[in-house]
Amino acid sequence: MPQLPVVFEVGSIIALVAILVVDLLIVARRPHVPSLRESGAWVGVYVGLALVFAVLMLVFAGGDAAGQFVAGWLTEYSLSIDNLFVFVIIMARFSVPKAIQQEVLMLGIIIALVLRGVFILVGAQLIEDFTWIFYLFGAWLIWTAIQQLREDDDEEQQDSALVRLLRRRVRITDEFDGMKFRVTHDGARHFTPLLIVLIAIGTTDLLFALDSIPAIFGITESAFIVFTANVFALMGLRQLYFLLGGLLERLVYLKYGIALILAFIGVKLVLHALHENELPFVNGGEGFSWAPEIPTWVSLVVILVAMAGATGASLVRMRHDSTVGQR
């Protein structure tokens, strides 16, 4: 595990919190539907910040830590794109007005960061105390990859149990009232659909975290790198939502790229668990010398090839379908 200077870690966390606060203030002061040009510019800014941070990691902690961050960031970014499909469904299902979608997504991302932060702390402690947890992480990711391939594209997203419970137990209006959570209706206090939307986004991301957090721990065991990679992946997600728009539904092969990444990291975790084996009932508690340790650069290449291949194949399919449709 790479050793990072404490000053660098503390300074990075302060800087990231400051960026998130500024972003939140900008959205709160000027709620609007961003144009494609604006969204693209902000996505570029956040990608640029992530690359600058990778360079700083290289300077302060060396190439291994920088490589782990880049691989982890790309993994989280690619898996976070999968979140956007669900966000589109949630926004459409609850008829969220476009004027407040930026603010809703920003609050949802903050909720996601808090939940993921808790997951990361728990995961880091489990890894430190129980190395055999990599067996479970690896098996879970391989199973998730298989489920990703079997998933029906036309299957509707189901509301979580918590959302269904709230619908039955809590008085909720049919209309939004800006970013207000509660309004007075017929002399009684009611929640607005905003509450349901944020809970739906938060609980959905929690489910995605069950896949993404074990995946990035397959690349690095540093909780700091895991957390910063998650922050940088989620920070530009709001702008990416408006930039891609309807294009998301047309990236038909994206799920195969994501499945490949999850399966690869799952196998990597299992191999690592075998190499470091401490389970007394497996090989007498001794590690398997034949189990290779896959280096970070291989993970990086697999992630880039999987996402580039899936995106490129989807674009070719789109062009083919468009050509056929014009005939």
Side-chain angles (χ1 to χ4, degrees):
M1 183 187 303
Q3 296 298 318
L4 299 164
V6 176
V7 174
F8 176 72
E9 290 189 359
V10 173
S12 298
I13 296 299
I14 293 173
L16 289 174
V17 171
I19 292 172
L20 287 172
V21 170
V22 170
D23 200 356
L24 182 61
L25 291 175
I26 291 174
V27 171
R29 292 187 62 182
R30 197 168 69 91
H32 66 291
V33 180
S35 64
L36 289 178
R37 182 176 180 180
E38 179 186 347
S39 299
W42 276 108
V43 169
V45 166
Y46 282 122
V47 169
L49 286 174
L51 296 177
V52 168
F53 186 76
V55 172
L56 292 175
M57 290 279 287
L58 178 64
V59 172
F60 284 97
D64 191 37
Q68 289 180 13
F69 169 76
V70 173
W73 168 61
L74 287 174
T75 298
E76 291 299 318
Y77 207 69
S78 60
L79 295 180
S80 293
I81 291 175
D82 211 23
N83 288 29
L84 293 182
F85 287 97
V86 182
F87 289 170
V88 168
I89 293 171
I90 291 173
M91 294 293 186
R93 171 172 294 181
F94 295 102
S95 302
V96 180
K98 284 190 173 293
I100 66 170
Q101 285 187 8
Q102 269 213 96
E103 294 171 277
V104 171
L105 285 172
M106 189 65 194
L107 288 176
I109 287 169
I110 291 174
I111 293 171
L113 283 174
V114 173
L115 294 175
R116 288 184 181 220
V118 174
F119 260 54
I120 290 166
L121 290 175
V122 173
Q125 192 61 48
L126 286 173
I127 288 170
E128 184 176 342
D129 296 339
F130 310 104
T131 56
W132 53 263
I133 200 72
F134 282 117
Y135 284 114
L136 298 182
F137 281 178
W140 173 259
L141 291 179
I142 294 171
W143 182 83
T144 303
I146 295 171
Q147 292 299 112
Q148 182 86 7
L149 294 176
R150 296 173 58 187
E151 189 177 79
D152 186 358
D153 291 332
D154 297 325
E155 184 180 352
E156 290 189 5
Q157 185 72 20
Q158 298 296 317
D159 289 337
S160 68
L162 182 56
V163 168
R164 293 196 298 271
L165 178 64
L166 283 174
R167 284 183 180 277
R168 292 195 302 266
R169 303 289 184 180
V170 179
R171 287 182 295 191
I172 299 174
T173 63
D174 295 326
E175 302 294 331
F176 286 84
D177 189 355
M179 289 297 292
K180 292 181 180 179
F181 283 95
R182 298 199 73 182
V183 294
T184 301
H185 184 68
D186 293 334
R189 296 291 285 172
H190 289 68
F191 285 100
T192 68
L194 180 62
L195 174 68
I196 296 288
V197 171
L198 288 178
I199 290 175
I201 289 175
T203 53
T204 297
D205 188 81
L206 188 62
L207 294 176
F208 276 102
L210 292 174
D211 302 333
S212 66
I213 300 304
I216 192 172
F217 270 120
I219 295 170
T220 178
E221 295 180 29
S222 168
F224 174 76
I225 293 177
V226 172
F227 181 72
T228 51
N230 270 271
V231 172
F232 278 107
L234 290 174
M235 278 200 306
L237 203 59
R238 186 183 78 254
Q239 291 84 1
L240 196 62
Y241 170 87
F242 291 100
L243 178 64
L244 295 180
L247 181 63
L248 282 171
E249 299 175 359
R250 301 156 114 191
L251 296 178
V252 293
Y253 297 121
L254 184 63
K255 69 176 184 179
Y256 297 106
I258 292 173
L260 176 59
I261 293 172
L262 290 173
F264 168 77
I265 298 177
V267 171
K268 179 182 177 181
L269 283 173
V270 172
L271 289 173
H272 176 74
L274 290 170
H275 188 82
E276 302 290 334
N277 177 60
E278 294 179 356
L279 292 177
F281 54 85
V282 176
N283 198 36
E286 298 295 327
F288 293 86
S289 58
W290 56 263
E293 290 279 21
I294 300 175
T296 303
W297 70 266
V298 174
S299 301
L300 187 56
V301 169
V302 171
I303 294 163
L304 288 172
V305 169
M307 292 311 298
T311 302
S314 298
L315 294 176
V316 170
R317 171 72 178 272
M318 287 167 54
R319 186 178 302 172
H320 175 266
D321 291 347
S322 176
T323 303
V324 172
Q326 291 176 0
R327 291 177 183 174

